[in-house]
Amino acid sequence: MDHALRVARRASRVNEVPVGAVIVRNGRVVCAMHNLVRRFQTPLAHAEILVILMAQKRLNTPYLDDCLLYVTLQPCPMCAHAIALARLKRVYFGAYALKKCGIVPETVGGVCEHQCSQLLDHFFCEKRWI
């Protein structure tokens, strides 16, 4: 967590929200990142997302099931889902996230449902993933 804190302090110095994330595998740091939301002008550039992408590239795998994540702030729902999809073994976080995102867009489902489902079914049947 000390490493994540150092990375978070760097974020603060460049006017980013001071969140740092570090991925560790077999006791060794794979990579570390901080938030880059302002720099990249996207709300998707959270430290957790960036460090997962970097680790996947460095380890040449989509799955990080033998890795640990240390992050200075409790992951938001977006990051928590990305963590789950990347199959990280365990997450250690520092501060609890007290501010919750209150903006929820209206969603409409079932648009061209049949065509969308067929496309996906065909793809996965061809790959034999289902």
Side-chain angles (χ1 to χ4, degrees):
M1 190 60 78
D2 288 335
H3 193 137
L5 279 165
R6 284 194 301 276
V7 173
R9 288 185 190 104
R10 284 198 298 255
S12 184
R13 288 194 294 270
V14 295
N15 203 27
E16 293 282 356
V17 175
V19 177
V22 177
I23 290 186
V24 175
R25 181 182 185 205
N26 298 325
R28 293 207 146 126
V29 172
V30 174
C31 53
M33 288 297 295
H34 60 70
N35 276 9
L36 290 172
V37 171
R38 293 176 62 88
R39 179 177 177 191
F40 293 151
Q41 293 296 297
T42 175
L44 305 178
H46 286 194
E48 299 96 312
I49 301 293
L50 298 173
V51 81
I52 287 169
L53 291 169
M54 184 181 284
Q56 289 168 325
K57 186 172 183 170
R58 284 196 178 159
L59 298 174
N60 195 32
T61 180
Y63 304 115
L64 305 173
D65 47 3
D66 58 348
C67 296
L68 309 174
L69 172 66
Y70 293 84
V71 61
T72 58
L73 178 64
Q74 181 181 13
C76 71
M78 172 185 71
C79 292
H81 195 68
I83 290 163
L85 290 172
R87 301 182 187 170
L88 279 143
K89 182 177 181 178
R90 184 171 295 128
V91 177
Y92 298 93
F93 69 88
Y96 284 90
L98 301 176
K99 183 179 176 186
K100 305 294 182 200
C101 180
I103 301 168
V104 180
E106 178 183 352
T107 59
V108 178
V111 179
C112 296
E113 178 182 10
H114 180 73
Q115 296 94 321
C116 295
S117 293
Q118 273 189 324
L119 178 64
L120 289 163
D121 289 346
H122 178 73
F123 176 82
F124 285 113
C125 283
E126 290 289 315
K127 299 294 182 185
R128 298 180 186 186
W129 290 350
I130 59 170

